[in-house]
């Protein structure tokens, strides 16, 4: 796993947990979430109690356990709580985020986020078919990520916590040739 030293406390931080903090003029520093939150609180002149949530296993529709890590970040007037899986030292698989105002109780946010994760993981969108897979019903939910392997700027989709290339998804859609579709795009903090 790639580790980076936090610029402030000098503790090693996993690369998926590092926050690049700063500005174009002053430059950027790599911070751990604890130091990031402390600095945002200090700049804003308010108190902030750091809460570290332990990782949690949540089962999906097929009974497979997913190990979620959590990160609470202070953004000044708002807080965000993220939940993500780590695959091979990088963020990968399911990812969720909840946004709230700065006064929100982190434990209530955590309860809301876990409920949302449970609802999302209970939904199955893809079914395996031999080598490939197909769309289970007529609704697909997922995340638009970036395909770093591709020469073209095309998305890598994350559906049911699995990476599905743009090509693969195109092939799956061909089952519905002649049908119509409606594509609705939502912010990462909204429930789809
Ligand atoms: Zn630090």
């Amino acid at each position: 796993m790639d580790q980076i030293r936090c610029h402030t406390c000098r503790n090693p931080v996993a690369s998926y947990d590092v926050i690049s903090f700063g500005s174009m003029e002053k430059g950027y520093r790599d911070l751990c979430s604890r130091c990031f939150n402390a600095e945002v609180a200090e700049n804003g002149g308010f108190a902030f109690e750091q809460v570290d949530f332990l990782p949690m296993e949540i089962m999906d529709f097929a009974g497979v356990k997913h190990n979620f890590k959590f990160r609470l970040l202070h953004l000044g007037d708002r807080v965000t709580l993220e939940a993500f899986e780590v695959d091979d030292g990088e963020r990968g698989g399911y990812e969720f985020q909840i946004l709230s105002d700065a006064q929100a109780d982190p434990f209530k946010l955590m309860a809301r986020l876990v409920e949302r994760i449970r609802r999302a993981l209970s939904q199955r969108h893809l079914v395996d078919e031999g080598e490939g897979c197909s769309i289970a019903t007529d609704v697909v939910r997922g995340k638009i990520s970036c395909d770093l392997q591709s020469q073209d700027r095309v998305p890598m989709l994350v559906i049911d916590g699995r990476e599905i290339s743009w090509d693969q998804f195109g092939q799956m859609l061909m089952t519905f040739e002649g049908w119509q579709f409606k594509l609705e795009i939502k912010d990462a903090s909204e429930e789809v």
Side-chain angles (χ1 to χ4, degrees), residues 96-165:
F96 299 93
Q97 186 196 13
I98 206 163
L99 262 178
S100 191
D101 55 52
Q103 286 75 39
D105 176 350
F107 294 95
K108 285 187 181 157
L109 284 184
M110 178 67 170
R112 268 173 59 200
L113 186 58
V114 169
E115 277 308 303
R116 186 186 289 184
I117 297 173
R118 286 194 205 284
R119 279 196 294 275
L121 264 62
S122 68
Q123 295 167 327
R124 174 179 226 150
H125 302 97
L126 303 178
V127 282
D128 288 306
E129 267 182 1
E131 296 281 286
C133 54
S134 63
I135 296 169
T137 61
D138 57 359
V139 177
V140 183
R141 297 175 187 83
K143 202 186 91 182
I144 304 166
S145 177
C146 173
D147 190 345
L148 298 171
Q149 309 298 322
S150 172
Q151 303 293 320
D152 308 311
R153 206 174 124 72
V154 292
M156 174 68 85
L157 303 176
V158 183
I159 305 167
D160 292 351
R162 294 158 64 170
E163 286 195 336
I164 303 292
S165 74

Side-chain angles (χ1 to χ4, degrees), residues 6 8-10 32 35:
C6 170
T8 304
C9 67
R10 307 304 298 160
C32 68
C35 292

